């Protein structure tokens, strides 16, 4: 063999931006190997157990060998029906389980393949920035271009900023991503905003993909609207939901895409080529979770709300003030003025080294995230207090 043979990835992999969280994760593992207890607010990986009804059902169903075969790529009929019932119950939205709902192997898989089904070279997608990285990467991997729309804290400007950007573009973008409650900024929105988006998307003929991963993780009485509640939403787009956060089922890999039947069909087509569906016992267990008591989901959200209060109150005690988020499992926090000049990546490294606390640097979610860190509410109350004491000692505020 030629010794100089260098194996190259496809060009599409070369288009990916550098993975900002990689180095911090490597440093975290190195410290843990040295026996240092890093308090980890990095990834939004739920730490609480899956709701009981799903675990019990999985244990029962897995014993039946009929469930061990390849499953239905689109999702088994009872699961799709359970999703339509939940949309009806929670949002008053009617969905046809055969045409307007598809199960995905977590919403991340669904988003990735939907980008591949809708976008290609020469086409582009509008993405609010900072963003959950797969929104950007799925578009890049599909060979299409990303047009970022800065997310300001005042959402009233968002639509006018976007229409100003779109006015000056040719060819016009094909797809728009939205994500409310938003990761990482925790921004929430109203049904009025979605109504305006639908009008705009219709006028400009732009497909809307709404990522609703934090549908149920809302606080202080705030209820997040579904995009599909907006009049005419089904004409222009789809919405992704996930079992991961509402039911603490992140490792199970089950999510859904619902809405416009043509778009669902394109996603079903590409998934039909790529996968054989989610393991049947997981789908059956998900039915139990979806049909379960509303209190189960409320309990999940309450854990995050309590942790949010402890985190934000403890930060304020060390002189680092920030607003309490109304939703999601994150806090999006502006770096203190004194440390702004080093940037979010170096600041996060500093917290890891000096406070033994891992946070996500805002820059990892796009350039507009610079100046911020994101903390995931996945450590218990005592460890949150401990972490903030350690941060207080490391920072001089
Ligand atoms: C906004 C957003 N969308 C999607 C996902 C992925 O969810 P899933 O586990 O359903 O793939 C996450 C996970 O953190 C997220 O924050």
């Amino acid at each position: 063999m030629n010794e100089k043979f260098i194996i190259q990835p496809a060009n599409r992999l070369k288009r990916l931006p550098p993975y900002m969280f990689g180095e911090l994760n490597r440093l975290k593992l190195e410290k843990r190997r040295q026996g240092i207890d890093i308090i980890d607010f990095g990834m939004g990986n739920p730490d609480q157990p899956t709701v009981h009804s799903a675990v019990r059902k999985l244990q029962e169903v897995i014993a039946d060998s009929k469930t061990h075969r390849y499953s239905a790529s689109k999702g088994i009929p009872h699961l799709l029906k359970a999703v339509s019932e939940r949309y009806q119950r929670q949002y008053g939205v009617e969905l046809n389980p055969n045409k307007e709902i598809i199960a995905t192997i977590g919403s991340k898989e669904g988003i990735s393949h939907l980008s591949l089904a809708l976008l290609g070279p020469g086409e582009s997608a509008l993405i609010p920035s900072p963003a959950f990285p797969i929104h950007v990467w799925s578009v890049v991997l599909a060979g299409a271009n990303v047009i970022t729309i800065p997310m300001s804290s005042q959402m009233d400007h968002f639509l006018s900023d976007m229409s100003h950007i779109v006015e000056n573009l040719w060819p016009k973008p094909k797809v728009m991503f939205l994500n409310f409650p938003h990761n990482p900024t925790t921004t929430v929105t109203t049904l009025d905003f979605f109504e305006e988006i639908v009008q705009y998307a219709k006028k400009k003929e732009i497909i809307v993909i709404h990522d609703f991963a934090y549908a149920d993780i809302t606080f202080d009485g705030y209820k997040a609207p579904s995009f599909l509640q907006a009049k005419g939403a089904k004409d222009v787009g789809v919405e992704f939901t996930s079992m991961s956060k509402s039911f603490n089922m992140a490792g199970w890999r089950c999510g859904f895409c619902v809405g416009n039947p043509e778009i669902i069909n394109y996603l079903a087509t590409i998934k039909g080529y790529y996968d054989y569906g989610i393991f049947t016992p997981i789908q059956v267990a998900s039915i139990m979770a979806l049909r379960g008591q509303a209190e189960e989901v409320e309990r999940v959200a309450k854990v995050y709300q309590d942790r949010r209060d402890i985190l934000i109150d403890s930060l304020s005690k060390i002189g680092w003030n920030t607003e309490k988020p109304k939703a999601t499992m994150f806090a999006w926090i502006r770096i203190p003025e004194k440390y702004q000049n080093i940037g979010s990546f170096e600041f996060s490294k500093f917290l890891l080294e000096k406070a033994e606390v891992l946070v996500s640097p805002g820059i990892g979610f796009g350039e507009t995230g610079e100046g911020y860190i994101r903390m995931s509410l996945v450590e218990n109350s005592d460890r949150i207090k401990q972490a903030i004491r350690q941060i207080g000692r490391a920072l001089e505020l």
Side-chain angles (χ1 to χ4, degrees):
M1 191 171 82
N2 181 348
E3 282 189 10
K4 292 220 174 70
F5 179 33
I6 298 169
I7 298 174
Q8 293 283 349
N11 285 337
R12 78 174 66 82
L13 284 199
K14 294 184 193 160
R15 296 184 80 214
L16 287 172
Y19 186 58
M20 294 301 291
F21 305 118
E23 191 187 341
L24 287 166
N25 279 333
R26 192 183 54 72
L27 286 172
K28 173 185 85 175
L29 292 177
E30 206 173 286
K31 297 227 172 259
R32 284 200 168 150
R33 264 197 300 273
Q34 291 162 19
I36 300 170
D37 173 25
I38 299 295
I39 306 182
D40 187 354
F41 300 99
M43 191 180 178
N45 192 356
D47 61 311
Q48 296 291 298
T50 295
V51 294
H52 292 310
S53 52
V55 175
R56 272 198 308 272
K57 196 68 186 175
L58 179 94
Q59 286 167 334
E60 179 194 319
V61 175
I62 206 166
D64 178 357
S65 64
K66 284 205 293 296
T67 66
H68 300 172
R69 310 185 68 195
Y70 292 125
S71 195
S73 172
K74 286 178 70 174
I76 58 177
H78 282 299
L79 178 62
L80 304 179
K81 190 155 173 280
V83 175
S84 78
E85 287 162 2
R86 193 169 158 85
Y87 260 89
Q88 176 65 260
R89 211 168 48 238
Q90 289 201 190
Y91 308 111
V93 169
E94 293 270 352
L95 290 168
N96 177 336
N98 297 323
K99 294 187 185 148
E100 295 176 335
I101 307 180
I102 183 170
T104 62
I105 309 170
S107 54
K108 192 174 181 190
E109 178 274 326
I111 292 166
S112 310
H113 281 138
L114 185 58
S115 285
L116 206 54
L118 292 176
L119 292 161
E123 295 177 316
S124 63
L126 296 163
I127 304 186
S129 173
F132 178 56
I134 198 62
H135 297 167
V136 176
W137 296 343
S138 68
V139 173
V140 171
L141 284 170
N145 295 320
V146 171
I147 298 155
T148 54
I149 313 286
M151 294 255 310
S152 58
S153 51
Q154 289 142 321
M155 281 304 291
D156 349 345
H157 294 297
F158 182 81
L159 197 53
S160 61
D161 288 355
M162 179 162 69
S163 53
H164 184 71
I165 290 170
V166 171
E167 272 332 298
N168 297 305
L169 287 175
W170 188 261
K172 69 177 172 54
K174 185 172 177 188
V175 168
M176 169 200 314
F177 279 81
L178 294 177
N179 167 215
F180 296 102
H182 184 248
N183 177 11
T185 66
T186 77
T187 309
V188 295
T189 195
T190 59
L191 187 52
D192 285 349
F193 172 78
F194 284 148
E195 305 271 6
E196 285 180 49
I197 288 284
V198 170
Q199 294 312 315
Y200 180 77
K202 272 192 182 169
K203 194 165 91 193
K204 298 288 176 188
E205 300 189 349
I206 301 176
I207 296 166
V208 180
I209 301 176
H210 181 232
D211 180 346
F212 201 25
Y214 298 98
D216 299 302
I217 313 300
T218 60
F219 313 137
D220 309 325
Y222 169 75
K223 291 271 171 269
S226 157
F227 174 67
L228 293 182
Q229 284 176 288
K231 199 162 162 284
K234 253 194 243 178
D235 299 335
V236 297
V238 290
E239 179 164 87
F240 280 94
T241 52
S242 171
M243 301 299 290
S244 298
K245 316 292 167 146
S246 307
F247 303 96
N248 288 323
M249 291 175 71
W252 298 53
R253 312 312 298 134
C254 184
F256 307 99
C257 181
V258 308
N260 181 277
E262 276 83 40
I263 302 176
I264 299 292
N265 187 34
Y266 299 145
L267 179 56
T269 304
I270 204 156
K271 281 175 62 59
Y273 281 91
Y274 276 133
D275 72 65
Y276 287 121
I278 307 157
F279 186 40
T280 303
I282 292 178
Q283 298 197 46
V284 178
S286 299
I287 298 172
M288 289 309 285
L290 288 167
R291 292 196 172 143
Q293 301 295 318
E295 293 83 60
E296 282 194 306
V297 179
E298 281 161 16
R299 262 198 300 278
V300 174
K302 182 69 168 55
V303 170
Y304 292 122
Q305 182 178 313
D306 292 346
R307 290 177 181 178
R308 170 205 70 168
D309 289 341
I310 290 166
L311 175 68
I312 306 297
D313 294 346
S314 309
L315 280 171
S316 127
K317 281 191 197 130
I318 64 162
W320 190 357
N321 294 310
T322 185
E323 265 184 42
K324 287 189 177 173
K326 288 201 180 64
T328 77
M329 55 192 294
F330 309 109
W332 179 246
I333 308 166
R334 193 171 152 76
I335 296 171
E337 285 316 311
K338 195 172 158 193
Y339 294 89
Q340 278 289 331
N341 60 337
I342 64 171
S344 60
F345 187 72
E346 285 305 316
F347 182 72
S348 302
K349 250 166 83 175
F350 175 83
L351 289 185
L352 189 60
E353 290 293 342
K354 299 284 189 262
E356 295 170 351
V357 170
L358 180 66
V359 301
S360 299
I363 185 81
F365 303 94
E367 279 177 17
T368 45
E370 189 48 290
Y372 288 81
I373 56 161
R374 191 196 73 177
M375 292 179 77
S376 301
L377 302 166
V378 292
E379 292 276 15
N380 68 35
S381 317
D382 288 340
R383 282 172 70 79
I384 294 174
K385 288 183 198 154
Q386 178 63 30
I388 305 307
R389 275 195 295 273
Q390 289 170 202
I391 290 177
R393 283 196 289 272
L395 298 179
E396 287 149 27
L397 295 177

